[in-house]
């Protein structure tokens, strides 16, 4: 046989082999695609079953998901798929598919599985006759811990892959999966902390007393709104009861701060931060605000507090979406009308502050009793409402016990502006009413932030907050208690608003404009954070912009935390770094 013929036969055999391998890989890819598509359908069926709460349906849907996800993992685990990862152009995608299939299979078995098998046990978490079964919470600690560990590992595995070289369609799907799993891992991590702490918080070992602070968004403050109705929540062996009620405005002004303030705190927030209970949340840092509130409460009322909790009026509306309507005097409060009633109509109907305070205390008592009774449908709906409010910065918790507080310190629900090492990782955009009014009900604002340029060490961020006041056509028809301005001389319908920016630790403000006019930011600092404040007089329907350009230390993500307002949405955001 001639050398030429041998070469041709060898080349032909190699070509045939490549064609066969290509067909096998293509056929396997079709199988993998089919099984992954089935896994998606099974995951949707499981979600529906979890919503229904029927354990038999949950078990069947979970079993189907584990089968389809396991098949996907098996199909991508052998030598044929390993060969596919070496194929030019498609190899990266094949590697990503294998990772995704393995992660979904592991989650179905080890992450979702333990929780799905105990899903109906969530009903035991509901208060019944004012008591929560702390043993039921302890029963959930292990499956939640297993799920949290599995999701964290899955998130790390997905993020370890470089998806930038995937084909467009798969890259989008892969990043969606990564984002979904990462969000779930963070939520499950918070759930693990919650079920770990709840028995003690609910007084399983000893009686606990907490101060519950309702924030009134109609008069905006850094953490949401003016502290209004105050209530003591007591817990003992899972039983929850409502104790003493008061109003923050009844505490008056001290001659000196209730706790020592730093020089920087006095310069940025003034001594009112510590002399007025009403002004303790001039600071966006809930642990500090709670510390000041606790000290003032314990000074006036001889009872030791084990923590300070807060929620705003929008969070109350989320709870009413779960409980259904509640009757408060002549008012039927619902999820749809609670914000309008509590932040506006109440001031029209009750012109005297004493009558307002009495009404708000009754609202707090009625909503508390509705939740504590257990008449709230399914626990997952209550949990979803609380998680949503926490994610939007409308619910915050500070615990007196240092070890317990350390456990939640890194979570959004702690409301902390610094991490465990004392570093402020994000930007804070704070709004504060300076009209002494309830005009924030008519305040609409949005904050936009973007990374514009990067160096090896810093990212330059542009932050713009746009505000507009939208009162009725005839603002003078509103009660003076709503329009305010007695001490500032503002006309009815106008609002005087402070918009304050705090940089991350070691960040620096490079430019500052109000309504397009350049200003030099004052050299104020809160420890290692530079502070800049804009004072805006907002006339009706006349938008105003405040823009900062800030250099921040370069990192993967940059939180941009913004004071929550009256709209049911998250005012904050997270920037992807350089």
């Amino acid at each position: 046989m001639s050398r030429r013929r041998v070469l041709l036969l060898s080349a032909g055999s190699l070509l045939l082999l490549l064609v066969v391998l290509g067909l096998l890989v293509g056929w396997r890819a079709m199988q993998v695609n089919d099984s992954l598509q089935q896994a998606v359908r099974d995951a949707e069926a499981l979600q529906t079953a979890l919503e229904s709460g029927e354990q038999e349906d949950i078990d069947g849907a979970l079993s189907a998901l584990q089968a389809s996800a396991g098949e996907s993992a098996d199909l991508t685990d052998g030598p044929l798929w390993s060969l596919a990862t070496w194929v030019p152009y498609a190899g990266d995608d094949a590697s990503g598919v294998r990772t995704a299939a393995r992660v979904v299979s592991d989650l179905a078995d080890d992450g979702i599985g333990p929780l799905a098998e105990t899903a109906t046990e969530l009903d035991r978490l509901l208060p019944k006759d004012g008591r929560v079964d702390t043993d039921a919470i302890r029963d959930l600690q292990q499956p939640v811990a297993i799920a949290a560990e599995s999701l964290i590992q899955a998130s790390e595995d997905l993020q370890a892959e470089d998806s930038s070289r995937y084909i467009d369609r798969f890259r989008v799907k892969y990043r969606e999966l990564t984002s979904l799993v990462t969000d779930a891992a963070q939520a499950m991590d918070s759930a693990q902390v919650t079920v770990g702490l709840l028995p003690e918080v609910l007084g399983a070992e000893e009686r606990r007393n907490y101060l519950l602070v309702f924030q009134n968004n109609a008069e905006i403050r850094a953490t949401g709104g003016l502290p209004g109705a105050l209530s003591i929540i007591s817990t003992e062996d899972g039983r929850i009861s409502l104790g003493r009620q008061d109003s923050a405005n009844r505490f008056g002004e001290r001659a000196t701060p209730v706790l020592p303030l730093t020089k920087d705190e006095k310069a940025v927030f003034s001594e009112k931060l510590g002399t007025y209970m009403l002004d303790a949340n001039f600071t966006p840092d809930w642990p500090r605000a709670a510390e000041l509130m606790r000290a003032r409460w314990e000074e006036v009322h001889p009872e030791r507090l084990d923590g300070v909790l807060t929620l705003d009026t929008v969070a109350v509306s989320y709870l009413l979406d779960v409980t259904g309507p509640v009757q408060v005097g002549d008012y039927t409060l619902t999820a749809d009308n609670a914000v309008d009633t509590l932040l506006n109509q109440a001031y029209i109907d009750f012109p005297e502050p004493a009558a307002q305070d009495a009404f708000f205390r009754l609202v707090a008592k009625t909503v508390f009793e509705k939740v504590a009774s257990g008449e709230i449908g399914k626990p997952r709906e209550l949990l979803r409402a609380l998680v949503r409010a926490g994610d939007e910065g409308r619910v915050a918790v500070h615990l007196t016990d240092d070890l317990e507080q350390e456990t939640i310190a890194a979570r959004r629900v702690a409301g902390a502006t610094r991490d465990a090492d004392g570093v402020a990782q994000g930007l804070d955009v704070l709004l504060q009413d300076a009209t002494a009014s309830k005009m924030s009900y008519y305040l609409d604002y949005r904050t936009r932030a973007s990374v514009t340029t990067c160096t090896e060490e810093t990212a330059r961020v542009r932050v713009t907050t746009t505000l507009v006041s939208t009162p009725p056509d005839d603002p003078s028809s509103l009660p003076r208690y709503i329009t305010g301005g007695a001490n500032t001389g503002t006309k009815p319908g106008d609002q005087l608003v402070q918009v304050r920016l705090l940089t991350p630790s070691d960040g620096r403000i490079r430019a500052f404009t109000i309504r397009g006019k350049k200003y030099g930011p004052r050299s104020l600092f809160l420890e290692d954070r530079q502070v800049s404040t804009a004072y805006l007089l907002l006339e009706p329907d006349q938008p105003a912009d405040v823009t900062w350009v800030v250099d921040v230390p370069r990192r993967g993500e940059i939180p941009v935390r913004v004071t929550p307002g009256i709209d049911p949405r998250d005012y904050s955001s997270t920037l992807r770094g350089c």
Side-chain angles (χ1 to χ4, degrees):
M1 183 179 296
S2 68
R3 183 179 178 183
R4 177 184 173 86
R5 186 174 178 83
V6 170
L7 290 174
L8 287 173
L9 285 174
S10 299
S13 299
L14 179 59
L15 179 61
L16 179 61
L17 178 61
L18 290 174
V19 169
V20 171
L21 287 175
L23 290 172
L24 288 172
V25 169
W27 173 67
R28 178 58 59 88
M30 292 175 61
Q31 289 181 301
V32 171
N33 181 68
D34 289 344
S35 61
L36 283 174
Q37 292 291 343
Q38 184 59 49
V40 170
R41 290 191 290 270
D42 291 337
E44 292 170 347
L46 177 59
Q47 182 177 357
T48 301
L50 288 169
E51 293 291 339
S52 74
E54 295 295 330
Q55 192 63 54
E56 184 176 348
D57 294 340
I58 294 170
D59 292 343
L62 174 62
S63 179
L65 174 59
Q66 289 172 333
S68 57
E71 180 183 33
S72 300
D74 289 343
L75 287 169
T76 59
D77 192 39
L80 188 59
W81 199 261
S82 295
L83 180 64
T85 63
W86 290 93
V87 175
Y89 303 109
D92 291 329
D93 300 88
S95 178
V97 169
R98 180 168 58 188
T99 298
R102 176 175 54 79
V103 163
V104 171
S105 179
D106 289 345
L107 286 178
D109 291 334
D110 303 323
I112 303 170
L115 282 181
E117 291 165 2
T118 59
T120 55
E121 296 298 309
L122 287 174
D123 291 332
R124 295 172 61 197
L125 298 182
L126 279 178
K128 290 185 179 179
D129 299 324
R131 184 180 184 277
V132 176
D133 185 352
T134 54
D135 289 335
I137 297 173
R138 289 193 174 99
D139 290 343
L140 280 174
Q141 288 174 348
Q142 184 176 7
V144 168
I146 293 171
E149 182 179 356
S150 178
L151 281 162
I152 290 170
Q153 185 61 57
S155 175
E156 292 175 353
D157 290 348
L158 289 168
Q159 293 185 61
E161 289 282 333
D162 181 8
S163 61
S164 63
R165 299 174 65 179
Y166 298 165
I167 59 174
D168 290 347
R169 183 179 177 186
F170 178 57
R171 181 172 63 249
V172 170
K173 293 296 182 183
Y174 188 90
R175 290 179 176 176
E176 286 177 356
L177 175 64
T178 303
S179 178
L180 182 65
V181 171
T182 300
D183 289 346
Q186 292 172 349
M188 194 55 61
D189 178 62
S190 298
Q192 183 180 7
V193 170
T194 300
V195 298
L197 279 177
L198 265 182
E200 284 67 35
V201 169
L202 289 170
E205 304 298 330
E206 60 180 356
R207 181 182 175 86
R208 297 284 189 98
N209 293 313
Y210 304 96
L211 178 64
L212 178 61
V213 180
F214 285 89
Q215 295 190 61
N216 186 330
N217 310 83
E219 188 168 347
I220 201 164
R221 286 287 190 275
T223 61
L226 185 82
L230 310 174
S231 303
I232 289 294
I233 305 293
S234 297
T235 62
E236 187 170 14
D237 190 29
R239 188 165 296 281
I240 311 171
S241 59
L242 185 69
R244 186 194 305 271
Q245 290 188 280
D246 209 332
S247 299
N249 63 6
R250 288 158 49 99
F251 282 71
E253 182 181 14
R254 296 180 92 258
T256 58
V258 67
L259 294 175
L261 302 181
T262 68
K263 181 181 178 180
D264 288 350
E265 285 179 323
K266 292 177 184 178
V268 173
F269 304 118
S270 83
E271 282 202 339
K272 290 182 178 181
L273 179 70
T275 57
Y276 273 107
M277 170 79 88
L278 290 168
D279 297 336
N281 61 339
F282 276 3
T283 171
D285 189 68
W286 180 248
R288 181 56 166 162
E291 195 176 42
L292 294 164
M293 291 178 181
R294 184 178 76 243
R296 188 74 173 107
W297 178 275
E298 291 179 343
E299 180 182 61
V300 174
H301 299 297
E303 53 193 338
R304 181 184 179 278
L305 297 177
D306 295 288
V308 183
L309 325 175
T310 187
L311 73 163
D312 71 2
T313 310
V314 178
V316 171
S317 76
Y318 296 165
L319 292 179
L320 291 174
D321 196 32
V322 178
T323 66
V326 297
Q327 193 68 31
V328 182
D330 295 332
Y331 297 85
T332 301
L333 291 182
T334 69
D336 294 329
N337 70 15
V339 170
D340 296 333
T341 301
L342 300 178
L343 298 185
N344 188 251
Q345 191 63 43
Y347 297 110
I348 296 173
D349 296 345
F350 301 107
E352 294 300 320
Q356 297 164 9
D357 291 344
F359 176 66
F360 291 134
R361 287 196 296 271
L362 183 58
V363 169
K365 181 175 184 291
T366 304
V367 174
F368 169 82
E369 289 176 346
K370 183 76 170 182
V371 174
S373 71
E375 300 173 15
I376 53 177
K378 296 178 180 178
R380 60 185 60 84
E381 295 172 352
L382 175 62
L383 293 174
R384 187 178 295 118
L386 291 173
V387 167
R388 179 185 180 186
D391 287 345
E392 294 176 4
R394 303 183 183 280
V395 170
V397 176
H398 184 266
L399 302 173
T400 304
D401 184 278
D402 289 340
L403 291 178
E404 292 180 351
Q405 178 62 24
E406 185 179 342
T407 304
I408 67 169
R411 276 76 189 177
R412 179 80 185 266
V413 75
T417 56
R418 294 178 181 269
D419 63 19
D421 297 322
V423 178
Q425 300 284 350
L427 292 140
D428 284 285
V429 178
L430 322 175
L431 278 78
Q432 181 174 304
D433 171 76
T435 325
S437 71
K438 297 297 181 286
M439 287 294 292
S440 301
Y441 173 78
Y442 300 105
L443 180 63
D444 185 23
Y445 60 95
R446 290 183 181 272
T447 296
R448 303 179 305 279
S450 61
V451 175
T452 58
T453 58
C454 294
T455 67
E456 290 185 2
E457 297 181 350
T458 64
R460 178 154 292 184
V461 178
R462 181 183 178 90
V463 182
T464 298
T465 297
T466 303
L467 307 91
V468 62
S469 178
T470 58
D473 291 338
D474 182 14
S476 60
S477 65
L478 295 171
R480 193 62 177 171
Y481 194 87
I482 291 180
T483 59
N487 298 324
T488 58
T490 53
K491 296 182 299 184
D494 291 352
Q495 296 191 52
L496 187 59
V497 181
Q498 292 181 11
V499 186
R500 178 172 286 142
L501 179 134
L502 277 65
T503 71
S505 292
D506 299 323
R508 291 295 179 266
I509 298 170
R510 300 306 182 191
F512 171 41
T513 63
I514 302 176
R515 293 186 171 98
K517 184 177 180 180
K518 293 181 180 180
Y519 292 86
R522 294 176 61 194
S523 296
L524 282 180
F525 286 83
L526 197 61
E527 297 181 33
D528 57 357
R529 309 184 72 184
Q530 191 174 4
V531 182
S532 173
T533 305
Y535 296 85
L536 297 175
L537 179 62
L538 300 177
E539 297 179 329
D541 302 315
Q542 299 296 314
D545 290 331
V546 183
T547 296
W548 289 271
V549 176
V550 188
D551 285 346
V552 306
R554 185 169 174 171
R555 57 177 59 97
E557 291 186 342
I558 306 168
V560 182
R561 293 179 292 261
V562 182
T563 298
I566 70 165
D567 291 336
R569 61 181 176 86
D570 192 351
Y571 285 71
S572 301
S573 61
T574 299
L575 288 178
R576 299 294 176 186
C578 304

